[in-house]
Amino acid sequence: MGHLKHRDLSATRERLRDQVAHALRAALISGELRPGEVYSAPVLAEDFGISATPVREAMLDLAREGLVEPVRNKGFRVTEVNERDLDQYTEIRALIEIPMVGRITRSATREDLEALRPVAEEIVRAARDHDLIGYLEADRQFHLTLLALSGNDRLVETVGDLRKRSRLYGLTALDERGELIPSAEEHLELLDLMLAGDAKGAEKCMARHLGHVRSLWAKSETAAKSGRVRARSGQTAAH
């Protein structure tokens, strides 16, 4: 008990599995569930106040995404993302998203682009309000909705999968230092460049944004590893 913050998961049976998976992804991103740790479906189910079956099914969904891995007779271990993984995810996203932003700038209507402004503003608001889950949800919505303007559904699915695999750990420390706000504001800058028809400028902004995100990953991973080292040191001292 006590692994996760309380979340209201009242839903129809068909949707419960998806809601649990969504809540678990949020817990992974926020750092409530820590990389390298093993979590039991029945124990997590107690936190949610539901039966273990939908939690186990949701964990299997996350395992297929590479976010966790089954541990026989114990539960699921949260996979650790190394620097090489993060570099490769960033490279693939850059190959897709940078030129696609230029293409969309040239083809999208002003109405389609303006429809993204409330989402971009929500990203900034969430960063300033220290709402990590809201920040990540709005960020995901902005990027995937923008890419959807290309009309290529498979491309959107690919980037969506990369985003799941390159989730951020321990965002709390970055949030406390105010380091999420500059990244959040880049979404408004990107949108303004696209609305101005500046395709090259938009591509440069997206390249800078992805580099900024990659640096946040590195800092977050370093903070998470440092926290784990301190925790192990504390356990050793206690013994």
Side-chain angles (χ1 to χ4, degrees):
M1 292 286 288
H3 289 300
L4 302 176
K5 297 175 184 176
H6 175 72
R7 291 179 171 85
D8 182 6
L9 293 179
S10 55
T12 61
R13 183 172 179 178
E14 310 86 71
R15 292 185 55 214
L16 190 55
R17 173 177 178 166
D18 289 339
Q19 286 205 348
V20 171
H22 175 79
L24 291 171
R25 290 188 192 99
L28 287 167
I29 290 167
S30 67
E32 291 177 72
L33 297 181
R34 294 177 295 178
E37 297 291 321
V38 176
Y39 295 93
S40 160
V43 172
L44 291 175
E46 289 184 42
D47 288 339
F48 287 128
I50 59 176
S51 70
T53 299
V55 177
R56 190 173 291 108
E57 292 174 344
M59 289 295 246
L60 289 171
D61 288 340
L62 267 58
R64 282 188 282 273
E65 296 172 11
L67 302 180
V68 300
E69 55 186 8
V71 178
R72 187 176 179 83
N73 298 325
K74 290 186 178 181
F76 295 84
R77 177 183 291 110
V78 178
T79 56
E80 300 189 67
V81 182
N82 59 43
E83 293 293 312
R84 184 168 180 269
D85 290 332
L86 294 176
D87 285 336
Q88 291 181 351
Y89 295 147
T90 304
E91 182 177 9
I92 296 170
R93 285 189 62 185
L95 288 170
I96 294 173
E97 294 185 67
I98 294 173
M100 191 55 63
V101 158
R103 186 185 304 178
I104 292 170
T105 299
R106 299 182 185 95
S107 63
T109 66
R110 188 171 188 85
E111 290 73 21
D112 284 339
L113 293 174
E114 279 290 1
L116 286 166
R117 188 171 296 280
V119 187
E121 291 172 345
E122 175 61 19
I123 298 170
V124 177
R125 184 206 63 76
R128 290 175 176 166
D129 290 349
H130 310 287
D131 177 6
L132 297 182
I133 302 303
Y135 171 89
L136 291 163
E137 281 297 303
D139 180 74
R140 179 194 63 81
Q141 182 183 353
F142 179 91
H143 282 276
L144 297 189
T145 302
L146 176 60
L147 289 174
L149 296 178
S150 69
N152 188 328
D153 295 339
R154 302 289 82 78
L155 182 149
V156 176
E157 288 178 7
T158 298
V159 173
D161 181 65
L162 288 169
R163 290 177 62 85
K164 290 175 185 175
R165 292 178 181 274
S166 57
R167 72 275 184 201
L168 293 172
Y169 290 124
L171 280 182
T172 302
L174 298 176
D175 172 55
E176 289 172 348
R177 295 198 297 269
E179 295 186 36
L180 293 182
I181 295 174
S183 179
E185 291 174 341
E186 286 171 348
H187 297 84
L188 287 168
E189 179 186 353
L190 174 65
L191 188 57
D192 287 340
L193 287 166
M194 296 181 76
L195 283 164
D198 185 355
K200 289 297 183 183
E203 290 177 359
K204 289 179 181 179
C205 182
M206 177 58 79
R208 176 162 38 88
H209 179 64
L210 289 176
H212 193 170
V213 170
R214 176 63 183 89
S215 70
L216 289 180
W217 286 344
K219 291 178 183 179
S220 186
E221 281 292 288
T222 299
K225 290 176 182 176
S226 176
R228 292 197 292 276
V229 169
R230 287 195 300 271
R232 286 195 292 270
S233 298
Q235 290 169 359
T236 302
H239 290 305

